[in-house]
Amino acid sequence: MADEAASRRSGLGRILDGLYLGAGWAAGFFLIVIFFLMMGLSAGREIGFNIPAGDEFTAWCMAAMAFLGLAHTFKSGDMIRVGLLTERLTGKTKRRVEIFALVTALGFSGYFTWHAIQFTYYSWLTNDMAQGVVPVKLWIPQLGYCGGLALLTIAILDELIHVLGGNLPRYEKEPPKTAEEVVE
């Protein structure tokens, strides 16, 4: 069913789906970078090798990973949301609650996105630098934060337009039919 919905998406929809997936892959990449940085920092202590600003780079990768993964997580239906409530509803009530939840999510994510972009722009404008061992322009690691929030906001808007068009939300998964599916 998900494949049918994906094949019916317009050109813009396929581009957006590609962006969400690409951001998910980028989040996975940052997870791998965190792993290698943490292993390098841990092993480095034992052999007397230090990664300059390793803790800072790890923290920046952690923020990028968390925020870049949001849109893909939302669109794939794995994000914690109001599903416990909406699963118990049916018909027009469920549709109204779903739309209310999407509008509320869009408002919050839009608000945070706006301020994240303003924050990053201010860092760029003032040439704000990291205070650690390695001088890094702070707007560079902040791009993952504001870019991930912007993609989440776009994903929520994309889904809201889809639901307002009379469709079921794409992030809803079919309920499990067997005990094994429940465990998965």
Side-chain angles (χ1 to χ4, degrees):
M1 181 166 164
D3 293 332
E4 293 173 26
S7 66
R8 286 182 280 171
R9 295 267 285 171
S10 67
L12 178 60
R14 283 192 297 262
I15 290 169
L16 290 175
D17 289 343
L19 279 174
Y20 309 143
L21 181 61
W25 278 99
F29 169 77
F30 281 110
L31 179 64
I32 292 168
V33 172
I34 291 167
F35 170 77
F36 283 115
L37 282 169
M38 297 291 288
M39 291 298 106
L41 288 167
S42 297
R45 283 189 203 105
E46 299 298 321
I47 61 173
F49 176 74
N50 184 29
I51 298 174
D55 292 336
E56 288 177 334
F57 286 114
T58 302
W60 292 331
C61 288
M62 180 98 51
M65 178 198 67
F67 285 97
L68 286 172
L70 288 174
H72 183 262
T73 303
F74 171 74
K75 292 299 277 189
S76 63
D78 293 326
M79 184 174 281
I80 297 173
R81 56 182 190 84
V82 294
L84 290 175
L85 173 66
T86 60
E87 289 170 358
R88 291 167 174 40
L89 302 173
T90 58
K92 289 184 179 181
T93 304
K94 179 176 180 163
R95 180 172 161 71
R96 287 182 186 132
V97 169
E98 199 74 56
I99 290 170
F100 174 76
L102 286 167
V103 168
T104 303
L106 181 63
F108 278 110
S109 67
Y111 174 83
F112 290 125
T113 299
W114 172 258
H115 287 285
I117 290 170
Q118 292 296 315
F119 182 67
T120 303
Y121 175 69
Y122 183 76
S123 291
W124 174 77
L125 196 63
T126 60
N127 204 26
D128 200 8
M129 301 292 283
Q131 298 298 312
V133 177
V134 178
V136 173
K137 295 182 182 211
L138 281 178
W139 66 267
I140 296 169
Q142 290 169 353
L143 285 176
Y145 162 65
C146 68
L149 281 173
L151 277 175
L152 176 64
T153 301
I154 292 167
I156 293 171
L157 178 62
D158 178 26
E159 199 61 34
L160 177 62
I161 291 168
H162 177 75
V163 172
L164 286 173
N167 302 302
L168 293 174
R170 289 182 289 243
Y171 51 74
E172 273 192 4
K173 295 181 177 181
E174 290 186 26
K177 294 177 181 77
T178 65
E180 290 81 24
E181 289 179 1
V182 171
V183 172
E184 285 180 26

